[in-house]
Structures are given as C-alpha cells and as structure tokens.
C-alpha cells in the first residue's frame, strides 16, 4: 500500500516537476504544411534565425487548408504555405498582410516504373490525367485539402473530369509520403511534390518513377504572410515580420538553398523577389 | 520484418543512451498526462462519490451519460476544445491554444468520465453495512463519505490508473490542441504519428516501444492494486 | 453506570404493505441488559434497528433521555450509542485501525487511542493480530473485533444484533464472556437480539418477547423464563412453538 502510494506520488511529482520551464524568450507561431515540416526544412533554417534574433518559431504542421484557417482565426502569427490562389484570396479578405513569394519546388506525376498507361511521352499534366482515367489504373489522391490536393483538383478541372466517387479514384486523406506508399502498393499513379519524392523514394523502396514533369501547371510556389494585427490584436506582428523579412532576405534565401535532404538533394529553390 | 527488428534495436539504443530529446518528450508526456489526471481526479472523484452515495433526480441519466462519455472520441474533444480555445473562440483571450495546458485540459476531459464512472462503480459496490457501521460508530456525514471512499480505494485507484493509461496513449485530441510543436507540445504519441508520416519507422517504432513499456508498467501497478483488493476481500 | 436510557412509543413499521411492527411501546431502563427474543420474522431485529435509529418508524417515536435531555442530532447521539451487527461491517483496514476507528472520529489524542485500543484488543484476544487486515479474520475473531471496536467507545447504549448468530459454541461462549465483562465493568444499557434461549437466560436483566410485530410479554430475566405469563411466550421458550 505504502509502496503504491509513494510510487503514484513520485510519478505525479515527476510529471509536474519535469515541466520544461517556459522561459521569457520570445516565441512566435508559424502555421505551415506537413509536407514542409516533414521535409526537415524548418529544423535546418529555424535555428539559424533563432540564433540571429533570439526569436523561437513554433511550427504547427497541418494541411494548407487548416494552416490558413488557423491564421484566419488568429491562432498563429504567420503562415507559410503553398496554395497561392487561396493565399491571395485570404489576403484580399483582410486576414493577412505582407505576402511574399519565398521559394518553390514542383509537382510531378509518378507511377509504376513500367508505366503501363504510357504517360512518359506526354507533356501536359491534364492530358496525362485523362489518359489515366481511360486505362484501368488507380489514381491515389491526398484527399485532405492540402496544397498538393488543391493542385491536383485544379488539374482535374482543366482536364474536364470529375474524379470524386469514381472507382479508380482513391482518396486516402493522408500525408504525401503515405499517399506515395499507397500508390506504390496499388501500382497506381499519383501527384506528388519533388521534395517528398526525392527524400523518400529510396527509403520507402518505391517501385515507381517520374512519368511527367515540367508542365507549368505543376509549379509549386510557397508564400509567407503575417496575420493581420488589425484583425487580431494579440498577434506578435513585429516578431512575425522579422521572420518574414529574414526569410526573404539574402541570408534566409541562402539557408533555404543550402538545405539538403539525406541524399544531398536540394528540395526547394528560393525565389523571393 | 527488417524494419521491426531495426525498430527494436533503435528503441533500445535510444533508451540506453537516454537521448536528451527523447527524454524531454517522455517527460512532457508524463507531465501533461499527470497534470490531466490530477485535474480529472480532483473533479471526477468527488463527482463519482456524489453519484455513488446520494440518490437524486436525474442520477440514472448522469450515470448513463458518464458511461457513454468513457468512449468519447478524442478528435471530437480536440476539435471542440480547439474551437473554444481558439483566438476567435469564447476562451481565446486566455491564449491557451497550442500549449501544454491545452493538452492537459483535453486529456482531463477524456479522463474525467473514466475516473468518475469507475469511482462511482467502486463506491456502489461497497457493502451498505459499511455505511451503517460507520454511522453507528459516530461518523459525521463527511466522515461516512470518507470511510466509504477508503473502502472503495482499490476500485478507485484502478479507475485512476485506467484513465492514466488511456490519456497516455491518446493522440487525436492533443494533436489538435497542442499542435505538435517541437520541444514545446510534442509528446510521445504525436511524435510517433509525425515520424510515421515522415517515414521514420524505426524511430516511430522505438517510441512506440517506450510507450508500450510505460503502459506495461502502469498495467502492472494496476494489476498489483487489483490483487491487493481481491486478497483482502 | 450508563446515564442514557430510551423509550419507544407506539412504533409502527411495514415493508411493502406487510406489517412488521405494530404499536410497540417500551421503556428501556438505563444500565440494564435487555434481551429481545421471539420467533424468526417476529420483527425483533427491526425493533432493534429502529431503536438504534438505523431505520425510521412509519409511526411512533424513539426518545433517548439523559435526565430529560433529548437529542436532536443523530450524530451527537451516535457518539453515545453504538451497534454490533450480526456479522460483517468491518473495514478493509488493519485490526488495530478498525478498533481505533470510532476514537479517531472523535479526535481523541493518539496516546489515549493507543492505550484504549490495546486494552480492548487484549480483552478480546486479538492484540497479536493487530496488524493483520480485519477481513482476513475468522468469523469468530471478526465478531470479537466488532465488540472491541464498540467497547473502546464506552457507549451508554450498546446494541447487539444477534452477535453470535453465525458462530460455533466455542466462539459463542467467548463472545458471551466478553459481553459479561462489558456489563460488569461499564454497566451500559445493552439492548440485544438473540434467538438463543440459553444465551438470553444467561445475559438478560430484562426480557422482551416479540410476537408477530407486537411486544406480548416480558419482565425481569429469571422471572420471565420461570413463569411467562403469555401462553405464546411459554410455548416459545419451551420449544413447543413451531415457526
């Protein structure tokens, strides 16, 4: 009995004492996408920024849709996402201020290495999508309103096809890497970003290859913008802008360019103007 | 198969090297869940005691609701709490979203029905003669209540430990209200989810093994407590 | 000697429409041992439980009188009376803590508690087992502990509800000896229910015979058993009553 009491007590005391003391350091919150977070970019660039300014950036990684929503509700100070159309809309609605292009990578269509649907000689993403629907192969979709998903939907729209509910269309509602793995298992095609593809294809032993790249529609622009302080008084606008300015500065842009994945691939190309 | 084996290897090397980041994550898990448990117990035990000891209108309904809430979907709790704690929500001014406090709150909401309901069951299973014996020996109503709760202590402790096990293993709610921020709100379960997303299966599995080990310890304590209760019955 | 006696007045009680006690009145004199006897189902245990305020009568009153002082608050009264159950009612804690329970409720200082508990546990032969969990005791030991737990409180009124009901002859005589000791030493008002005629004869100063919910006979112990006035009481104590 006594043993148990002291055991329970020590567990509780331990858990309370082990509270990492929240120090007086300044922290801002950045809502970003899971793909950006999973790429490891933040782990590389944020320490550089923190060392320079003393500002700690807490990254909340969610889907692009959720990231914008979090920003609109005032639950973060800055958003760093890749869905230009939606970003500009939210900017116009007055939820955000000071949007800047930061960097890009591009989307690619990947499929089974033997490419039975014969996409490889095509140039247009929407034509490739059409071809996939005419064959018997599955198309795996993120289905999570992420930037990738939104891009995918715009390609379907351009192709004039409504994929939702079709039996060859698999909406998995998962992150990019998982989606790739599902596509691999199903011998299916999918839309992915080059960063995730380069970082994971060997590790996950994907028996897939790039079947289409280079179509301008596949361009994936990342933007950063601060939450409008007039709408949400509590946001740390000043610090958020310090981060925005830094990331589009020469130093920030160099850090992005320097970031390499495990296989020494550069995942993002800085293009702040 | 390979990744399972290497997961175990990595798990043990992580544990034996007492990786600092890992320790921080484990301690934060314990801290958040421990805090949640203290809150849930502070409210849930008196609540369970009242519905266990008093007869009043609507009591049966409350018991049914509690039993239903024992299976509350964590994501629903997380989302509701997110909307409440969000800057645009009713309690936004407190600035609690994406903090360990928000996570502890979410977990205490999940733990409360378990603590209260199991406390209630433990109390109603105490022989009514205990109450009478206590009264005839001169106990005040408060002393009677304390006596009955002491009689039910093994059952109550089982409830508290079961609740601890549940919240330690929970991921849905704390991911939403905690945001899984590295070094700040990242706990074992959210790290496992993240590392799985990133494809770092070995690390995810290693953490899973640590989590399992902690669950095992909790269950061993639970079993020990239950055995104590049985032995003396 | 006990300073507390009690009077029950026109007690009526029924369960689910079945009358259990009908118009029972009695004055329990202080300092005496009153033994309630009667056939099974006659209502004697209910009479005891109502007298001890564990149950409320449908009609009638239970009045405790301490030189005309009456009690409004049950808790205050329960600091002066107590009850030993037929069996059970022990707490899932050590023998010592069980015996000390009532004293601790009264916030008696620790030294005094230890002394009283030690005396009582030695009296009932359980001192050696003081650190054992009470629920591991045998039935006989359990009843001895229940008596010790009551004894330490030195109650003015001690209710005993069939204290030897589930015991063998050896344990029964041990319990009777303990009760006799309590009688001799503290002279509390004892109100006891038993179905054991010999026990009633050995312990009673006064006997109350209950039959079908009514007190039909009674009187000083010796006189009652030698010469019951009621025919039903006569048949009962001579074993002619089939019930």
């Amino acid at each position: 009995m006594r043993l148990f009491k002291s055991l329970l007590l020590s567990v509780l005391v331990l858990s309370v004492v082990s509270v990492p003391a929240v120090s007086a350091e300044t922290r801002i919150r950045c809502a970003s996408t899971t793909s950006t977070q999973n790429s490891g970019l933040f782990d590389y660039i944020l320490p550089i920024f923190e060392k320079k300014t003393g500002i700690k950036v807490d990254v909340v990684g969610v889907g692009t849709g959720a990231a914008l929503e979090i920003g609109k509700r005032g639950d973060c100070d800055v958003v760093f996402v890749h869905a230009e159309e939606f970003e500009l809309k939210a900017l116009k609605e007055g939820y955000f201020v000071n949007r800047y292009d930061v960097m890009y990578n591009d989307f690619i269509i990947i499929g089974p290495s033997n490419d039975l649907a014969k996409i490889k000689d095509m140039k247009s993403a929407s034509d490739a999508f059409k071809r996939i629907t005419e064959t018997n192969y599955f198309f795996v979709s993120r289905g999570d309103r992420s930037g990738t998903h939104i891009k995918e939907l715009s390609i379907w729209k351009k192709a004039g096809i409504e994929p939702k509910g079709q039996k060859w269309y698999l909406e998995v509602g998962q992150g990019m890497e998982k989606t790739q793995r599902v596509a691999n298992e199903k011998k299916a095609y999918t839309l992915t970003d080059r960063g995730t593809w380069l970082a994971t294809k060997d590790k996950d032993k994907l028996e897939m290859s790039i079947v289409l790249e280079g179509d301008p529609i596949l361009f994936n622009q990342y933007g950063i913008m601060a939450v409008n302080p007039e709408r949400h008084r509590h946001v740390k606008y000043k610090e958020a802008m310090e981060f925005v300015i830094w990331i589009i500065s020469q130093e920030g842009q160099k850090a992005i360019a320097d970031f390499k994945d495990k296989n020494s691939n550069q995942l993002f190309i800085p293009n702040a103007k | 198969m390979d990744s399972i084996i290497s997961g175990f290897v990595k798990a043990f090397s992580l544990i034996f090297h007492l990786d600092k980041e890992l320790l921080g994550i484990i301690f934060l898990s314990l801290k958040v869940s421990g805090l949640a448990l203290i809150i849930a117990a502070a409210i849930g035990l008196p609540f369970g005691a009242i519905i266990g000891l008093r007869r009043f209108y609507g009591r049966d309904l409350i018991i049914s609701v509690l039993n239903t809430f024992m299976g509350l979907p964590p994501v629903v709790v997380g989302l509701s709490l997110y909307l409440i704690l969000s800057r645009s929500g009713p309690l936004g001014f407190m600035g609690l979203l994406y903090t360990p406090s928000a996570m502890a709150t979410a977990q205490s909401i999940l733990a409360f029905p378990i603590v209260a309901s199991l406390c209630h069951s433990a109390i109603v299973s105490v022989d009514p003669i205990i109450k009478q014996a206590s009264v005839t020996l001169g106990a005040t109503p408060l002393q009677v209540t304390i006596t009955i709760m002491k009689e039910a202590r093994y059952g109550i402790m089982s409830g508290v430990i079961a609740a601890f096990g549940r919240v330690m293993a929970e991921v849905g709610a704390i991911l939403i209200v905690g945001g899984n921020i590295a070094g700040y709100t990242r706990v074992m379960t959210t790290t496992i989810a993240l590392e799985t997303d990133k494809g770092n299966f070995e690390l995810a599995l290693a953490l899973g093994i640590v989590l399992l080990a902690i669950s095992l310890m909790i269950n061993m304590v639970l079993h020990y407590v239950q055995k104590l209760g049985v032995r003396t019955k | 000697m006990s300073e507390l006696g009690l009077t029950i007045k026109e007690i009526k009680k029924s369960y689910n429409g079945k009358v259990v006690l009908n118009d029972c009145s009695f004055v329990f004199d202080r300092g005496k041992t009153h033994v309630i006897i009667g056939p099974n189902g006659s209502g004697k245990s209910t009479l005891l439980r109502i007298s001890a305020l564990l149950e409320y009568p449908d009609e009638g009153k239970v009045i405790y009188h301490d030189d005309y002082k009456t009690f409004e608050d049950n808790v205050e009264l329960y600091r002066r009376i107590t009850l030993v159950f037929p069996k059970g009612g022990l707490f899932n804690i050590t023998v010592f803590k069980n015996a000390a329970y009532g004293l601790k409720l009264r916030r008696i200082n620790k030294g005094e508690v230890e002394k009283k508990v030690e005396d009582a546990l030695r009296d009932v032969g359980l001192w050696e087992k003081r650190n054992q969990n009470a629920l591991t005791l045998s039935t006989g030991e359990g009843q001895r502990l229940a008596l010790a737990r009551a004894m330490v409180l030195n109650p003015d009124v001690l209710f005993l509800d069939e204290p030897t009901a589930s015991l063998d002859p050896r344990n029964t005589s041990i319990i009777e000896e303990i009760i006799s000791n309590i009688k001799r030493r503290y002279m509390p008002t004892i109100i006891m229910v038993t179905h054991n005629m010999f026990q009633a004869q050995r312990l009673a100063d006064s006997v109350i015979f209950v039959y079908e919910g009514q007190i039909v006979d009674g009187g000083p112990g010796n006189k009652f058993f030698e010469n019951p006035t009621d025919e039903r009481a006569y048949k009962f104590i001579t074993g002619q009553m089939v019930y």
Side-chain angles (χ1 to χ4, degrees):
Chain A
M1 198 48 226
R2 193 158 296 161
L3 170 82
F4 176 72
K5 261 186 203 160
S6 49
L7 205 76
L8 191 73
L9 205 70
S10 50
V11 167
L12 292 182
V13 167
L14 202 67
S15 24
V16 174
V17 171
S18 61
V19 178
V22 179
S23 59
E25 68 190 339
T26 318
R27 358 177 41 120
I28 58 170
R29 196 175 289 145
C30 172
S32 186
T33 66
T34 35
S35 58
T36 324
Q37 189 178 37
N38 290 358
S39 71
L41 175 74
F42 290 122
D43 300 332
Y44 180 77
I45 65 167
L46 291 182
I48 302 173
F49 174 68
E50 190 183 340
K51 204 173 163 193
K52 185 183 165 84
T53 60
I55 298 169
K56 175 133 184 31
V57 183
D58 289 334
V59 178
V60 178
V62 287
T64 294
L68 285 172
E69 199 55 38
I70 286 170
K72 283 184 185 176
R73 299 181 65 95
D75 292 324
C76 65
D77 306 300
V78 59
V79 296
F80 188 4
V81 292
H82 53 108
E84 204 170 352
E85 190 189 329
F86 290 88
E87 290 164 46
L88 294 173
K89 185 165 167 275
L91 195 70
K92 216 170 124 192
E93 287 164 352
Y95 290 107
F96 302 96
V97 291
N98 300 322
R99 183 193 174 280
Y100 295 94
D101 283 343
V102 176
M103 60 188 193
Y104 73 90
N105 62 357
D106 61 343
F107 290 112
I108 50 179
I109 299 173
I110 57 170
S113 299
N114 52 13
D115 186 27
L116 290 168
K118 304 223 178 328
I119 311 285
K120 266 183 182 144
D121 54 341
M122 306 182 76
K123 288 276 171 283
S124 150
S126 54
D127 287 351
F129 272 31
K130 246 186 244 169
R131 168 79 61 83
I132 294 165
T133 67
E134 287 155 6
T135 62
N136 281 326
Y137 298 97
F138 286 114
F139 186 91
V140 182
S141 166
R142 290 277 295 270
D144 59 355
R145 295 209 46 85
S146 59
T148 314
H149 184 216
I150 289 164
K151 175 69 72 180
E152 177 210 315
L153 291 178
S154 72
I155 299 172
W156 285 118
K157 203 171 166 191
K158 196 176 166 213
I161 294 165
E162 173 53 53
K164 213 166 168 57
Q166 304 280 2
K167 65 175 190 298
W168 46 263
Y169 189 66
L170 306 174
E171 283 186 277
V172 292
Q174 308 258 21
M176 192 67 250
E177 192 186 350
K178 268 195 202 155
T179 304
Q180 287 183 164
R181 291 205 300 267
V182 173
N184 188 46
E185 297 289 332
K186 294 268 173 199
K187 303 227 174 300
Y189 289 84
T190 192
L191 183 75
T192 184
D193 61 278
R194 194 183 294 273
T196 307
W197 166 252
L198 288 174
T200 58
K201 65 175 172 140
D202 295 329
K203 188 179 65 171
D204 289 353
K205 303 185 180 71
L206 300 178
E207 290 166 9
M208 302 178 85
S209 54
I210 299 173
V211 294
L212 194 142
E213 58 191 322
D215 182 345
I217 200 176
L218 296 176
F219 192 71
N220 185 24
Q221 180 64 50
Y222 284 78
I224 193 165
M225 54 193 179
V227 173
N228 188 348
E230 281 168 29
R231 221 171 234 274
H232 294 289
R233 289 260 171 78
H234 62 270
V235 296
K236 294 174 184 146
Y237 176 70
K238 196 178 130 276
E239 290 83 359
M241 281 315 292
E242 257 189 84
F243 182 54
V244 171
I245 300 299
W246 178 80
I247 210 158
I248 61 173
S249 73
Q250 245 183 351
E251 189 187 352
Q253 295 281 295
K254 183 177 176 294
I256 290 169
D258 286 348
F259 168 62
K260 303 278 191 330
D261 72 359
K262 280 179 224 155
N263 308 310
S264 306
N265 297 306
Q266 179 181 346
L267 297 186
F268 300 99
I269 301 137
N271 69 338
K273 288 160 198 122
Chain B
M1 200 57 216
D2 282 359
S3 41
I4 294 176
I5 293 166
S6 55
F8 271 95
V9 171
K10 179 136 188 174
F12 289 114
S13 85
L14 276 173
I15 296 161
F16 286 118
H17 289 104
L18 292 175
D19 179 77
K20 204 178 160 211
E21 200 186 336
L22 181 74
L23 277 183
I25 288 171
I26 293 172
F27 278 139
L28 184 66
S29 290
L30 287 172
K31 176 222 154 191
V32 167
S33 300
L35 194 64
L37 201 65
I38 291 171
I39 297 167
I43 306 169
L45 292 183
F47 191 85
I50 288 167
I51 56 171
L53 293 169
R54 304 257 178 276
R55 301 286 175 269
F56 52 86
Y57 186 76
R59 177 174 170 270
D60 289 337
L61 181 70
I62 291 179
I63 293 168
S64 301
V65 169
L66 267 189
N67 284 333
T68 310
F69 278 17
M70 280 174 81
L72 266 181
V75 275
V76 174
V77 172
L79 182 59
S80 312
L81 196 61
Y82 168 77
L83 293 174
I84 292 167
L85 294 181
S86 162
R87 284 291 181 180
S88 305
L91 295 182
F93 63 92
M94 296 172 78
L96 281 178
L97 193 64
Y98 302 129
T99 62
S101 307
M103 296 158 77
T105 309
Q107 292 196 341
S108 48
I109 291 170
L110 290 168
F112 166 78
I114 300 173
V115 171
S117 181
L118 294 182
C119 172
H120 155 258
S121 317
I123 281 172
V124 294
S125 66
V126 171
D127 192 334
I129 201 173
I130 291 295
K131 183 179 176 184
Q132 296 182 352
S134 168
V135 167
T136 55
L137 289 166
T140 63
L142 180 65
Q143 288 171 328
V144 172
T145 303
I146 293 169
T147 302
I148 293 173
M149 287 188 78
K150 276 187 176 169
E151 284 295 303
R153 62 190 179 276
Y154 297 113
I156 291 173
M157 269 185 234
S158 302
V160 171
I161 295 168
F164 191 63
R166 157 133 166 144
V167 295
M168 277 292 286
E170 189 279 320
V171 59
I174 49 170
L175 192 58
I176 298 173
V177 299
N180 195 22
I181 296 167
Y184 185 48
T185 60
R186 188 165 294 174
V187 293
M188 272 190 279
T189 50
T190 57
T191 312
I192 293 171
L194 179 70
E195 295 304 330
T196 306
D197 261 1
K198 285 159 74 174
N200 292 333
F201 296 144
E202 283 90 357
L203 182 60
L205 197 61
L207 279 163
I209 290 164
V210 174
L211 189 60
L212 266 177
I214 292 174
S215 292
L216 181 70
M217 280 193 276
I218 292 170
N219 277 300
M220 274 161 60
V221 174
L222 180 64
H223 184 68
Y224 174 70
V225 167
Q226 282 168 342
K227 240 171 68 182
L228 268 187
V230 169
R231 200 191 65 200
T232 51
K233 272 237 163 87
Chain C
M1 181 168 122
S2 166
E3 291 168 352
L4 192 61
L6 67 144
T7 300
I8 55 171
K9 255 187 190 165
E10 292 153 21
I11 300 290
K12 283 185 186 166
K13 178 79 180 176
S14 40
Y15 293 118
N16 304 321
K18 188 180 175 293
V19 177
V20 181
L21 291 177
N22 193 7
D23 209 16
C24 289
S25 298
F26 197 78
V27 178
F28 294 96
D29 290 335
R30 58 201 178 97
K32 280 191 178 169
T33 299
H34 306 268
V35 178
I36 304 170
I37 57 170
N40 285 347
S42 58
K44 53 187 194 299
S45 264
T46 308
L47 185 66
L48 182 102
R49 290 170 64 84
I50 287 178
S51 303
L53 307 182
L54 277 179
E55 285 176 45
Y56 289 97
D58 300 334
E59 284 176 43
K61 272 184 184 167
V62 178
I63 305 156
Y64 278 80
H65 37 77
D66 172 4
D67 295 335
Y68 304 105
K69 182 186 172 194
T70 54
F71 294 87
E72 300 284 319
D73 179 359
N74 282 4
V75 174
E76 189 192 344
L77 185 63
Y78 276 125
R79 297 272 152 119
R80 297 187 57 186
I81 71 174
T82 192
L83 184 141
V84 173
F85 293 89
K87 63 170 184 178
L90 295 175
F91 303 123
N92 187 0
I93 44 182
T94 64
V95 168
F96 186 94
K97 283 184 177 170
N98 261 278
Y101 180 83
L103 294 172
K104 281 200 177 150
L105 296 182
R106 289 162 176 74
R107 312 211 183 287
I108 310 283
N109 77 61
K110 215 178 163 191
E112 202 175 330
V113 170
E114 277 174 8
K115 193 179 164 302
K116 284 187 173 180
V117 170
E118 179 172 353
D119 289 348
L121 287 180
R122 285 193 191 281
D123 279 350
V124 302
L126 287 175
W127 179 243
E128 305 303 321
K129 300 198 170 186
R130 63 188 175 279
N131 290 325
Q132 205 169 310
N133 186 296
L135 303 190
T136 62
L137 296 177
S138 70
T139 318
E141 289 170 333
Q143 281 308 85
R144 275 145 62 190
L145 175 57
L147 270 170
R149 191 168 71 171
M151 215 156 90
V152 292
L153 303 175
N154 192 6
D156 284 311
V157 182
L158 175 60
F159 292 92
L160 303 168
D161 189 0
E162 306 234 24
T164 59
S166 41
L167 302 185
D168 56 40
R170 170 80 190 121
N171 272 303
T172 301
S173 73
I174 294 174
I175 297 282
E176 275 184 31
E177 205 185 309
I178 295 169
I179 295 171
S180 300
N181 281 337
I182 295 174
K183 261 182 81 169
R184 212 176 33 246
R185 222 180 296 168
Y186 307 107
M187 291 185 73
T189 309
I190 296 179
I191 301 174
M192 170 174 175
V193 167
T194 183
H195 63 275
N196 181 334
M197 281 316 106
F198 302 108
Q199 186 172 67
Q201 250 173 311
R202 284 190 293 267
L203 295 172
D205 297 321
S206 120
V207 177
I208 299 112
F209 178 67
V210 181
Y211 186 80
E212 290 183 349
Q214 287 185 305
I215 298 173
V216 298
D217 199 358
N222 298 339
K223 208 178 132 204
F224 174 83
F225 283 107
E226 281 161 20
N227 191 13
T229 50
D230 188 271
E231 193 195 339
R232 289 161 293 188
Y234 176 76
K235 279 190 170 172
F236 179 69
I237 60 177
T238 53
Q240 295 174 46
M241 183 177 281
V242 181
Y243 55 87

